[in-house]
Amino acid sequence: MRFELALLAPGDWAEFRDLRLRALADAPAAFSSKLADERRLGEAEWRARLAVRTQFVARVAGTAIGTVGAYCSDGGISLISMWVDPMFRCRGVGAALVDRVIAHARDLGYPRLRLLVTEGNIEAERLYTRCGFEPTGVSKPRPDADAVRREVELARML
Ligand SMILES: CC(C)(COP(=O)(O)OP(=O)(O)OC[C@H]1O[C@@H](n2cnc3c(N)ncnc32)[C@H](O)[C@@H]1OP(=O)(O)O)[C@@H](O)C(=O)NCCC(=O)NCCS
């Protein structure tokens, strides 16, 4: 399968919104954000999100099938908002998206890339392990009130 990766600009806010809502509908347990909350966001909020993060999209024949973001905070950089359409999984899209964020973080000069994964998200944990991430020992309750599971921090050197 041929897919291409591209960087989303604030003008691509509608494509980003659609991807994010698909992700939250498909895999609610993987994310602390809630579909009902994000459905209420308007154009300005989606544009603002794209202005403060770097968000990549994977497309097949022009149609978005996956996404991942990078967010800089507290002097570090995190991989966030990772999702691949179930119809296109297990074909290397997830690994290509992770590699894209690794390259981006290196380009910015960061020595380390971190992420949070919900405990028990086996597919994501396997992907991140294969891409060189290891547990840092840090874990915390998910920020959403109804969460039972914890988020575990993984990181890799760049
Ligand atoms: C986690 C997730 C992003 C993985 O995406 P993906 O595109 O399936 O990832 P990959 O294709 O790179 O890897 C998945 C598996 O397919 C295998 N694979 C990759 N290319 C392949 C190919 N051409 N043929 C056969 N298998 C292949 C990989 O080896 C991997 O196997 P493993 O899990 O046994 O190690 C996806 O499952 C997802 O979106 N989950 C829901 C959202 C989520 O959990 N996000 C993470 C939040 S932290």
Side-chain angles (χ1 to χ4, degrees):
M1 180 188 69
R2 283 175 62 88
F3 59 90
E4 61 182 34
L5 303 186
L7 176 65
L8 290 177
D12 300 316
W13 68 271
E15 185 178 27
F16 177 45
R17 175 199 60 196
D18 294 350
L19 267 169
R20 184 71 183 156
L21 297 184
R22 281 161 66 196
L24 294 175
D26 166 64
F31 304 106
S32 49
S33 308
K34 297 279 166 270
L35 178 62
D37 295 336
E38 301 222 346
R39 265 200 184 126
R40 289 190 207 102
L41 301 181
E43 175 178 343
E45 282 119 330
W46 290 107
R47 282 180 176 274
R49 285 185 178 199
L50 285 174
V52 298
R53 64 166 71 192
T54 302
Q55 193 76 32
F56 298 101
V57 60
R59 297 192 186 105
V60 170
T63 300
I65 55 119
T67 190
V68 70
Y71 184 72
C72 301
S73 66
D74 306 324
I77 185 165
S78 301
L79 181 153
I80 57 170
S81 301
M82 172 80 180
W83 179 75
V84 174
D85 185 314
M87 300 270 290
F88 295 90
R89 286 184 191 161
C90 295
R91 303 180 202 198
V93 178
L97 287 167
V98 173
D99 285 347
R100 188 66 195 83
V101 173
I102 289 172
H104 171 71
R106 277 195 186 121
D107 286 348
L108 292 179
Y110 286 99
R112 183 173 174 266
L113 177 62
R114 65 191 178 208
L115 61 85
L116 291 170
V117 60
T118 302
E119 233 169 30
N121 186 347
I122 304 297
E123 289 82 7
E125 283 174 6
R126 272 211 305 265
L127 169 64
Y128 298 139
T129 301
R130 199 158 18 88
C131 293
F133 288 83
E134 294 176 352
T136 64
V138 173
S139 84
K140 55 184 184 183
R142 283 240 310 232
D144 44 326
D146 59 348
V148 181
R149 288 183 289 184
R150 297 174 69 83
E151 287 180 322
V152 178
E153 187 183 66
L154 309 182
R156 61 157 283 163
M157 301 311 287
L158 297 173

